[in-house]
Amino acid sequence: MIAEPNAASNLPSQKENAVHDETVPESAVQNGSCVRNGNLKTSREKRKVREQRENVRRNSSSSRRVSRLQNGEVVEAVTLFEVVSMGKQAMQSVVDDWVEAYKQDRNVALLDLINFFIQCSGCQGMVTAEMFQSLQKNDVMQKMTENFDEETGLQYKKFVAYPWILTVTWPVDMDNEDYPLIRTGPYWKKFKANFCEFIAVLVQQCQCSILYDSYLMDTIISLLTGLADSMVRAFRHTSTLAAMKLLTAVVSVHLNLDVNKHNAQRLYEVEKRRISGKRTNYRLDQLERKRKEYEHKLLEIQNMMNAIFKGTFLNRYRDVIPEIRATCIEEIGSWIKTYPDAFLNDSYLKYIGWMLYDKQAEVRLKCLLGLQGIYSRKELVSRMDLFTSRFKDRIVSMPLDKDHEVAVQAMKLLMLMSQNCEDVLSAEDCETLYQFVYTTHRPLAVAAGEFLYKRLLSHEGDEEIQPKRGGKFGASTDQLKRLIRFFLESELHKHVAYLIDSLWDWAGKFLKDWECMTALLLKNAEEDGEELSDAHESVLIEIILATVREAAEGHPPVGRGAAKKILSVKEKKIQLEDCMKITEHFIMVLPQLLAKYSTDAQKVANLLQIPQYYDLDVYSTGHLEKHLDALLREVKDIVTKHSDISVLEASSRTYYVLCNEEIAISSQVDCARTQLIDELMGQLNQLLDGFWQKEEGFCTDAGEISRMHSALRRVAAFHNAHNLTKWNLYDKTLRLLVFEMEHGSLPVLMILPALQCTYFSLLWQLAAISENPPKETLFALGRELRRFCQICMRFLHHKEKDVREKAFMILCDWLLILSHQDSNNNEEAVGLLDYLPSTPLQEKLLLFIQEHVFMEEEEESKDLTEDEERQDESCKLDDLHKKRSLLAAYCKLIVYNVVEMTAAAEIYKHYVKTYNDFGDIIKETLSRTRHNNKIQSAKTLILCLQQLFQRHAESQDSSSGMDFSSASFTNMKELARRFSLTFGWDQVKSRESVAMIHKEGIEFAFQGATGVDGKCLPPNLSFLLIISEFSNKLLKPDKRLVYAYLQRYIAEPLPCRGDEWQPLIWYRNSLLANEDEESSVLGGSGEWSPMGTSKMSSFKRKLSNGSLPDTSQTEAASKAPALQRASQLASATGKSRKRLKSRETHLQEHLPFLCPGGLRRRCCKDEIKTEDVSEEGQAEDVIEDVDVDVVGADQVIPARVFEL
């Protein structure tokens, strides 16, 4: 509340009664007080102030009362802030009421408006006003200040809001991080909208009356300018937003006045020509006065605009708070777009250009959005030449911005610049921007797709050239050829699916023109002299497959989108129509394409994936069985011709899709499939018979080996998706594997598919177990399962690397399936078939990973040609892919508890060293194991570090001590730091794991601390430096808990000197990094004080006696105002830091240690008690500190960890 102007400097006031509504947050209604330099003393003074306040309230707000219900009673909102924040009355009527109040008593109404802005800043202090009577400006300006009053502990700001001098006073602990404009939730979002609307409507309603009275706007502008210079963020932010919205509204008024002035000028000239013969005319004089009136108002409006721009914008557009900078840039973009004649020049555009380099994404985003509004209008682009030339390079680089929304809007801005500015983007710029169609962030890729489509693929006049060339598909043909050329020229990427997905929203029409695409593939050179090359045909087939998949599935490819898109009803309808169109077209065309490209493995593999997107019912409903027969003939022919695994798998998948029992054609397809498999098995049996007759001689015939290899691969590809058990394939392939184990003479080309076939055969047998199978069947199957596992174990040591890797992959998958198989809830079957790896097998698997994944291979330096280097790089990538597959297969065993979790310790050792190659796999393994068992996962991490430390200690010279600067020790610390980062920011979620790491680490550090009288330097003490990397992940109460556990190993002072004790000092410091923690654990007698019980809040801590050197100061500070208390506390903690430094010197000389074996520990469920053996006596430490504001009721969890 603001006091009356005449007596404001001496008039005290009491707080207004707070008015709250159950549906409105309590903080929405701010309380104001007008106490100035003193408190009210007598009841007579209080009553006088209350009466004066009620008079002011009745005069200023009687016409603006809004009723609301609170606890069933009607409560009135009387202040302007309450009415606007509630938003239950139309803003037009609110402003009309205020304008009427202003016309009756402008001083009272203006004071009410001033109080409104102060309350909108979240200020719960007071505002006083005194009339500006002095004519000497210098004297007044010397008093304009913002300072802290040490006597009252209050902050105050004094400034001119003509005709008053305002003084705003508030408590020093006013929370700058909480005021209406930054509060979250729908209520405060609506409040901000109401606040901005109020300012706009206020100017709109006043533009015909009081806006030009040289009183209202002068006061508001001076008020907002004064508040915008405040050091308090709430004042600065609120007043800047108000000033910017005020200037936006004034700009609209200026635009209207300018239009009215031009209209009046034209009417004046027309009237003047019409009565040119007469001397005077009343109408002419009236128009002249009107024109001059508009000119006068325009001059005043321009002065207002200049005052706001220079007084607020120029100071705040580079404010330290990003929200304030964003507000300024957003509004200047609005001014330029609304009134380009006044603002579209380099004097204003430069601010937007400068802020394109802002560090905050929010500010950069506002710049781009403002520029989009300008570049979207062609009539404005011609005046942007200098700005474009100056900042084009920056805008072109912004699609690489780390903020996704900024990158998307930058791409959209470049699209507008490309459309409306001729030759503004060079060919190099466009080539750079085109590549964003391959990015994984879909909105950016779609924006780049629009840029690519409109810039390169879609040319004006395509419709006109359609009849001239290309016949029916002229325009689509040209677009397809341009798209194919673009894809072939962009050598960095080979992902057609991502390119199609980027263009789908813009080029869907010609991308769904499958008739045109297949016509291009099927036409002959005689029909058209311009036939597609082999590379163009391959790309076009890939485009056909990608477009069919996009149309049928309706969601982006893998890696571009977190989950499958939920389609709307309209999108589902379009999807069904596209599927029908695909089916009807490719049912007839696909056999022709397969026949034409039957010898090309890559093209055929892509074409064979199309039938899985068919609506298969069309075959029967449309009586198209003859086309089905044609398709099956072509697929059978392809299977007999090719041995490429991609072609065979695609063929097998096609048969699997067409054999769906729910469709009518399944019997026809099943018959064709059986016939094909009979032929394949006949060929295989013939070859096997020849092999068993020749045996060793067979292996020397390259032609026979190749035929056997092809036959086995075909059968293995079909056995993956189809049950071939009735052909008794298992016995045939198992016999080959047993022969290899006994003789070791089979070629790799035969071993690999035979191993795969045997694996698939057992999987089909395992899947075929009925609900109640006979025990004999289960025993026989279990015997075969174990036999196959033994074979795979033997092959882990095979001489051929490919065989070893294949056996390892199959063995890992096999163990995972057997350990998690569920035979229709048949417990007996599960018990007989269950197979968990033994300890020797687990050791073999781990050893295999160490030798085949993490073993470094020596690279020979060779002088290679460019082609050889490219081939060598390709081989390295393939080898890396194999290693990643091996590691992922083993990590799955760890994650699903097939092998012991402690085996992961050997994997984690390589986390930092192999981060680029395997970091994602190891990190995911760590995350999954932690989700399964937090404690065991933490023990695995600490085990990994312990093993590395022991290896490092063994490599060190025992006489010279531990070398902390060595590379191995530095790598250990870096590994521990990386492990610490995996816990994230949620300390409450990870507190149990981190506490376990510290517990295990402390115990390991003090192992072997026995000697003469049980006192000596622990050999693993340096390990404390490693686990100190996890100290920052501890909550404050847990740090005290860990520190208390460390004290268990401290006995009595020993005369120890030297750097060998530094790890303990450093580790202790990491636990006591917080000043408050130092104060709470350090006693006043030069010794470690007991960890006493204390309750601590997040921001203010109650310090126990003896924790600070001067307790009287602490008691006095608790009674002083907030800032005084804070300053005294800071001085006290400063003294505590000096004492801490001296204590560290003392502790380096006398460090108490106690052998772990001599400890006596007493623990209970909710607290830990330790006995501290010292010369003075025994002290019992009870750890039950609870930081309620931080951790809540689960404080005892780490205590239970330390009891394990």
Side-chain angles (χ1 to χ4, degrees):
M1 193 68 184
I2 301 181
E4 293 178 296
N6 294 333
S9 60
N10 299 318
L11 179 62
S13 172
Q14 193 179 14
K15 282 189 175 181
E16 294 179 9
N17 297 325
V19 181
H20 300 309
D21 185 67
E22 290 182 347
T23 61
V24 182
E26 292 184 0
S27 54
V29 182
Q30 308 293 341
N31 298 331
S33 65
C34 297
V35 181
R36 181 176 179 181
N37 295 334
N39 298 324
L40 298 177
K41 297 180 179 179
T42 66
S43 59
R44 183 177 180 182
E45 291 178 345
K46 295 179 180 179
R47 185 167 58 254
K48 180 180 179 181
V49 170
R50 189 181 301 112
E51 293 174 355
Q52 292 174 339
R53 186 194 62 199
E54 294 298 335
N55 291 335
V56 173
R57 179 185 296 176
R58 282 192 294 269
N59 292 335
S60 61
S61 304
S62 58
S63 61
R64 195 185 59 253
R65 297 189 178 183
V66 179
S67 297
R68 54 181 173 170
L69 289 176
Q70 180 183 5
N71 297 329
E73 298 179 359
V74 177
V75 181
E76 293 183 350
V78 292
T79 67
L80 193 58
F81 172 78
E82 292 171 355
V83 176
V84 173
S85 62
M86 288 168 56
K88 293 187 177 181
Q89 186 175 352
M91 203 59 64
Q92 188 83 24
S93 60
V94 173
V95 173
D96 289 341
D97 292 343
W98 184 88
V99 171
E100 290 299 323
Y102 181 86
K103 293 178 179 178
Q104 295 176 10
D105 191 336
R106 66 182 187 179
N107 288 339
V108 173
L110 265 180
L111 289 174
D112 196 12
L113 185 62
I114 292 171
N115 194 37
F116 165 74
F117 286 116
I118 298 299
Q119 287 180 312
C120 288
S121 301
C123 179
Q124 299 182 11
M126 62 183 179
V127 183
T128 60
E130 53 185 313
M131 294 300 295
F132 179 75
Q133 297 174 349
S134 174
L135 298 178
Q136 297 180 357
K137 184 177 180 181
N138 293 334
D139 296 339
V140 175
M141 295 308 295
Q142 290 176 0
K143 298 178 182 179
M144 300 301 102
T145 181
E146 182 172 346
N147 210 337
F148 170 67
D149 190 347
E150 295 182 359
E151 295 181 2
T152 61
L154 299 175
Q155 192 85 4
Y156 68 90
K157 179 178 179 61
K158 193 173 185 179
F159 59 97
V160 174
Y162 191 84
W164 297 287
I165 300 176
L166 297 179
T167 303
V168 183
T169 310
W170 65 93
V172 72
D173 60 349
M174 176 181 172
D175 192 357
N176 276 340
E177 301 301 325
D178 184 27
Y179 55 93
L181 289 185
I182 64 171
R183 290 175 187 156
T184 57
Y187 178 86
W188 296 111
K189 185 177 181 180
K190 183 179 179 182
F191 166 79
K192 183 177 180 180
N194 291 341
F195 178 72
C196 298
E197 182 186 0
F198 172 80
I199 296 173
V201 175
L202 178 64
V203 174
Q204 180 182 0
Q205 293 300 104
C206 297
Q207 63 178 331
C208 298
S209 55
I210 60 176
L211 190 66
Y212 312 100
D213 64 354
S214 300
Y215 191 79
L216 171 64
M217 292 301 292
D218 289 351
T219 304
I220 295 177
I221 292 173
S222 58
L223 167 72
L224 297 179
T225 303
L227 289 177
D229 289 333
S230 173
M231 293 183 294
V232 180
R233 170 181 175 174
F235 288 150
R236 233 171 39 250
H237 189 183
T238 307
S239 59
T240 301
L241 176 62
M244 296 299 98
K245 293 297 181 181
L246 183 67
L247 182 50
T248 301
V250 170
V251 167
S252 299
V253 173
H254 189 284
L255 188 61
N256 294 334
L257 285 175
D258 196 35
V259 172
N260 293 336
K261 175 192 169 185
H262 286 294
N263 292 339
Q265 181 68 28
R266 288 203 311 272
L267 289 174
Y268 177 80
E269 293 175 355
V270 170
E271 188 70 18
K272 187 176 181 180
R273 286 195 298 270
R274 190 173 64 84
I275 58 171
S276 58
K278 300 181 181 180
R279 290 187 175 183
T280 60
N281 184 275
Y282 174 76
R283 174 64 177 167
L284 195 62
D285 295 339
Q286 186 182 22
L287 291 173
E288 178 66 18
R289 288 194 301 270
K290 198 73 173 177
R291 186 175 61 84
K292 290 182 178 181
E293 179 185 352
Y294 284 138
E295 290 178 352
H296 176 70
K297 288 183 178 181
L298 280 172
L299 183 60
E300 290 193 16
I301 291 294
Q302 289 175 357
N303 292 335
M304 296 176 195
M305 292 164 54
N306 291 333
I308 298 173
F309 185 84
K310 295 178 180 179
T312 303
F313 180 89
L314 290 182
N315 295 327
R316 298 277 69 82
Y317 84 94
R318 50 186 179 181
D319 193 280
V320 69
I321 305 300
E323 290 88 347
I324 297 177
R325 302 198 300 272
T327 298
C328 293
I329 296 303
E330 181 180 14
E331 295 306 316
I332 195 174
S334 174
W335 307 334
I336 295 175
K337 186 168 60 175
T338 303
Y339 195 15
D341 292 339
F343 290 96
L344 186 57
N345 55 67
D346 298 323
S347 300
Y348 296 97
L349 286 171
K350 63 182 180 183
Y351 300 110
I352 298 180
W354 292 342
M355 301 313 288
L356 287 171
Y357 297 89
D358 195 276
K359 294 182 179 180
Q360 294 295 325
E362 179 184 4
V363 182
R364 301 194 299 272
L365 182 61
K366 296 299 182 183
C367 294
L368 293 172
L369 293 176
L371 291 174
Q372 286 179 17
I374 300 172
Y375 279 101
S376 61
R377 298 167 58 179
K378 289 187 176 181
E379 68 274 12
L380 303 181
V381 172
S382 60
R383 300 158 65 178
M384 299 280 292
D385 294 341
L386 182 58
F387 177 88
T388 303
S389 62
R390 170 64 178 82
F391 294 104
K392 185 206 73 172
D393 293 339
R394 169 58 181 163
I395 298 173
V396 170
S397 68
M398 291 185 77
L400 291 170
D401 197 284
K402 62 181 181 180
D403 185 85
H404 289 320
E405 186 60 26
V406 172
V408 171
Q409 298 304 326
M411 184 63 71
K412 291 181 178 180
L413 174 60
L414 289 165
M415 181 70 252
L416 294 173
M417 294 173 64
S418 174
Q419 287 179 328
N420 298 327
C421 301
E422 295 182 1
D423 301 328
V424 66
L425 297 177
S426 63
E428 293 77 8
D429 295 334
C430 293
E431 289 295 331
T432 302
L433 297 175
Y434 292 156
Q435 300 303 318
F436 284 98
V437 296
Y438 298 106
T439 185
T440 56
H441 184 59
R442 192 172 192 276
L444 178 58
V446 171
E450 180 187 10
F451 183 84
L452 172 64
Y453 176 71
K454 294 182 178 179
R455 179 89 183 184
L456 185 65
L457 303 179
S458 176
H459 291 166
E460 294 183 2
D462 279 345
E463 289 73 13
E464 287 74 5
I465 67 173
Q466 180 174 331
K468 296 182 180 179
R469 55 173 185 163
K472 181 180 177 182
F473 308 111
S476 296
T477 300
D478 289 342
Q479 289 179 329
L480 280 171
K481 290 181 178 179
R482 286 197 291 265
L483 180 61
I484 293 171
R485 278 198 301 270
F486 165 76
F487 179 76
L488 290 175
E489 291 171 0
S490 58
E491 299 178 355
L492 297 177
H493 304 280
K494 299 301 179 183
H495 306 288
V496 174
Y498 289 86
L499 174 62
I500 296 302
D501 181 61
S502 302
L503 292 168
W504 194 254
D505 294 345
W506 311 105
K509 183 178 180 180
F510 91 85
L511 289 179
K512 293 181 182 180
D513 194 352
W514 295 293
E515 189 177 355
C516 172
M517 297 179 189
T518 53
L520 277 175
L521 292 173
L522 293 173
K523 70 179 180 180
N524 299 321
E526 292 78 10
E527 299 175 6
D528 192 339
E530 189 179 353
E531 188 179 11
L532 295 177
S533 64
D534 182 70
H536 284 68
E537 287 179 340
S538 298
V539 173
L540 182 54
I541 291 175
E542 289 186 45
I543 291 174
I544 291 174
L545 176 60
T547 54
V548 167
R549 181 187 294 116
E550 187 86 18
E553 294 181 348
H555 59 80
V558 177
R560 184 177 281 181
K564 290 187 176 181
K565 180 181 177 183
I566 300 177
L567 302 179
S568 63
V569 176
K570 181 179 179 181
E571 290 173 333
K572 288 181 179 179
K573 182 180 178 182
I574 295 175
Q575 183 182 19
L576 292 175
E577 293 175 353
D578 290 339
C579 285
M580 185 60 65
K581 183 179 177 182
I582 292 169
T583 305
E584 293 175 349
H585 177 69
F586 283 98
I587 275 180
M588 294 179 287
V589 175
L590 184 59
Q592 303 176 40
L593 293 173
L594 292 175
K596 181 177 181 179
Y597 299 107
S598 60
T599 58
D600 193 316
Q602 181 184 0
K603 295 185 179 70
V604 167
N606 288 325
L607 290 172
L608 284 174
Q609 297 181 49
I610 296 177
Q612 62 183 296
Y613 303 107
Y614 282 0
D615 181 1
L616 297 175
D617 292 330
V618 175
Y619 274 116
S620 56
T621 58
H623 304 289
L624 301 174
E625 287 80 2
K626 62 177 183 179
H627 296 289
L628 177 62
D629 292 336
L631 175 63
L632 294 175
R633 283 196 305 272
E634 295 299 333
V635 175
K636 180 181 178 181
D637 183 59
I638 289 170
V639 171
T640 56
K641 287 181 179 178
H642 292 274
S643 61
D644 184 85
I645 190 63
S646 61
V647 175
L648 295 175
E649 288 180 351
S651 302
S652 176
R653 175 70 177 174
T654 301
Y655 275 106
Y656 178 78
V657 171
L658 296 176
C659 282
N660 189 348
E661 296 179 357
E662 297 179 358
I663 58 177
I665 62 172
S666 59
S667 58
Q668 181 181 353
V669 179
D670 182 63
C671 181
R673 179 186 62 179
T674 303
Q675 183 181 359
L676 173 62
I677 295 176
D678 284 338
E679 294 181 7
L680 295 179
M681 291 302 299
Q683 296 174 5
L684 179 61
N685 291 332
Q686 183 179 359
L687 291 170
L688 286 174
D689 292 341
F691 170 76
W692 296 122
Q693 292 176 4
K694 298 180 181 180
E695 291 189 359
E696 298 294 337
F698 184 94
C699 299
T700 60
D701 190 341
E704 293 290 339
I705 292 175
S706 176
R707 285 191 290 274
M708 177 72 80
H709 169 68
S710 299
L712 286 171
R713 290 189 76 172
R714 293 188 184 102
V715 173
F718 274 84
H719 207 1
N720 187 9
H722 307 274
N723 188 0
L724 308 185
T725 305
K726 64 180 181 180
W727 281 274
N728 197 21
L729 182 63
Y730 175 74
D731 294 337
K732 297 178 176 64
T733 55
L734 182 64
R735 186 180 176 185
L736 286 174
L737 299 179
V738 173
F739 179 85
E740 170 62 19
M741 289 175 59
E742 295 175 352
H743 299 83
S745 59
L746 283 183
V748 177
L749 294 179
M750 291 177 59
I751 298 174
L752 294 179
L755 197 60
Q756 194 77 43
C757 285
T758 308
Y759 172 55
F760 289 147
S761 296
L762 286 174
L763 284 180
W764 280 109
Q765 293 181 43
L766 190 64
I769 295 177
S770 61
E771 186 173 352
N772 293 308
K775 286 188 177 181
E776 294 77 9
T777 304
L778 293 176
F779 278 119
L781 181 57
R783 184 173 58 254
E784 295 300 328
L785 296 180
R786 287 163 178 76
R787 184 181 183 183
F788 181 68
C789 287
Q790 293 296 326
I791 293 175
C792 291
M793 289 174 61
R794 290 282 299 272
F795 281 168
L796 290 179
H797 305 285
H798 197 274
K799 60 183 178 181
E800 294 291 341
K801 181 180 178 182
D802 291 340
V803 176
R804 295 196 302 268
E805 292 178 350
K806 188 67 173 180
F808 180 84
M809 293 293 295
I810 290 177
L811 187 59
C812 288
D813 291 344
W814 192 234
L815 291 174
L816 186 62
I817 292 171
L818 292 181
S819 61
H820 289 76
Q821 52 91 18
D822 182 10
S823 301
N824 299 320
N825 298 322
N826 189 330
E827 295 182 0
E828 184 178 6
V830 172
L832 290 174
L833 300 178
D834 192 17
Y835 183 81
L836 290 176
S838 61
T839 301
L841 176 56
Q842 294 187 35
E843 293 176 352
K844 289 181 180 179
L845 293 175
L846 181 58
L847 181 62
F848 185 91
I849 287 295
Q850 291 175 335
E851 292 178 351
H852 288 75
V853 176
F854 297 114
M855 186 72 72
E856 295 184 2
E857 299 179 359
E858 297 182 0
E859 296 184 3
E860 299 180 2
S861 57
K862 299 180 181 179
D863 295 332
L864 302 176
T865 63
E866 184 177 352
D867 293 338
E868 291 175 340
E869 286 182 358
R870 189 182 299 109
Q871 186 177 2
D872 183 62
E873 188 68 24
S874 177
C875 292
K876 288 181 180 179
L877 289 176
D878 292 340
D879 186 56
L880 176 60
H881 177 70
K882 291 180 180 179
K883 288 182 177 181
R884 286 176 58 85
S885 300
L886 294 173
L887 180 60
Y890 182 74
C891 288
K892 283 193 293 184
L893 299 182
I894 298 174
V895 169
Y896 291 102
N897 299 318
V898 180
V899 300
E900 296 293 336
M901 192 182 295
T902 53
E906 292 294 334
I907 307 295
Y908 296 159
K909 293 177 183 178
H910 305 277
Y911 180 52
V912 175
K913 189 175 182 180
T914 62
Y915 184 81
N916 292 333
D917 295 335
F918 312 115
D920 56 336
I921 299 175
I922 299 176
K923 190 174 181 180
E924 183 66 19
T925 304
L926 202 159
S927 175
R928 295 288 188 90
T929 54
R930 184 176 297 155
H931 181 268
N932 295 340
N933 191 327
K934 293 182 180 179
I935 296 299
Q936 190 60 35
S937 176
K939 289 183 177 181
T940 305
L941 289 181
I942 200 68
L943 176 63
C944 170
L945 296 173
Q946 289 171 0
Q947 292 175 353
L948 288 174
F949 182 85
Q950 288 176 337
R951 185 188 304 172
H952 171 74
E954 292 172 358
S955 65
Q956 296 291 311
D957 187 1
S958 58
S959 60
S960 60
M962 187 71 68
D963 184 9
F964 300 150
S965 61
S966 63
S968 59
F969 193 86
T970 304
N971 292 337
M972 273 191 295
K973 280 185 66 68
E974 175 62 18
L975 180 61
R977 188 185 71 84
R978 294 287 189 93
F979 286 162
S980 175
L981 292 177
T982 61
F983 287 102
W985 294 102
D986 191 350
Q987 291 178 303
V988 176
K989 184 178 180 181
S990 61
R991 62 184 311 205
E992 197 171 352
S993 301
V994 177
M996 176 56 68
I997 288 176
H998 283 274
K999 173 184 178 295
E1000 295 286 333
I1002 291 172
E1003 291 177 356
F1004 177 78
F1006 287 96
Q1007 282 181 0
T1010 58
V1012 180
D1013 298 329
K1015 305 169 184 177
C1016 74
L1017 177 70
N1020 299 333
L1021 186 67
S1022 301
F1023 191 72
L1024 294 176
L1025 288 178
I1026 305 298
I1027 62 174
S1028 66
E1029 296 292 338
F1030 298 90
S1031 297
N1032 63 336
K1033 295 300 179 181
L1034 287 168
L1035 291 169
K1036 293 177 182 178
D1038 296 348
K1039 286 185 178 181
R1040 295 194 294 273
L1041 190 68
V1042 173
Y1043 179 77
Y1045 191 74
L1046 178 65
Q1047 278 189 304
R1048 294 183 179 186
Y1049 296 85
I1050 298 175
E1052 58 186 27
L1054 292 177
C1056 304
R1057 298 176 182 272
D1059 294 338
E1060 62 270 15
W1061 302 103
Q1062 284 297 324
L1064 180 63
I1065 296 294
W1066 289 335
Y1067 181 58
R1068 184 186 63 82
N1069 288 345
S1070 70
L1071 297 176
L1072 305 178
N1074 186 275
E1075 294 180 4
D1076 294 332
E1077 296 295 323
E1078 294 169 5
S1079 301
S1080 64
V1081 298
L1082 287 179
S1085 60
E1087 298 179 1
W1088 297 107
S1089 65
M1091 296 286 290
T1093 59
S1094 60
K1095 302 287 185 178
M1096 295 188 179
S1097 64
S1098 301
F1099 304 104
K1100 301 178 182 178
R1101 303 191 177 272
K1102 300 177 181 179
L1103 303 176
S1104 59
N1105 292 335
S1107 62
L1108 289 178
D1110 188 358
T1111 57
S1112 61
Q1113 285 187 354
T1114 306
E1115 294 175 0
S1118 64
K1119 300 177 182 179
L1123 186 61
Q1124 187 176 0
R1125 178 168 62 250
S1127 63
Q1128 291 181 1
L1129 183 60
S1131 64
T1133 53
K1135 296 178 182 178
S1136 177
R1137 284 196 297 271
K1138 295 179 181 178
R1139 293 174 57 204
L1140 179 62
K1141 185 176 181 180
S1142 64
R1143 287 179 188 281
E1144 290 184 2
T1145 306
H1146 171 73
L1147 286 172
Q1148 291 181 18
E1149 300 176 358
H1150 304 282
L1151 278 176
F1153 278 94
L1154 180 64
C1155 170
L1159 282 174
R1160 289 180 293 168
R1161 308 178 183 180
R1162 294 185 298 171
C1163 302
C1164 65
K1165 183 176 182 181
D1166 295 329
E1167 61 184 13
I1168 294 179
K1169 300 181 179 180
T1170 62
E1171 292 188 5
D1172 184 14
V1173 182
S1174 61
E1175 295 180 356
E1176 287 79 13
Q1178 295 182 349
E1180 192 172 66
D1181 298 337
V1182 182
I1183 308 302
E1184 54 183 14
D1185 300 55
V1186 182
D1187 195 336
V1188 179
D1189 294 333
V1190 178
V1191 297
D1194 57 348
Q1195 155 66 16
V1196 297
I1197 292 178
R1200 293 199 298 270
V1201 170
F1202 283 83
E1203 292 172 8
L1204 297 176

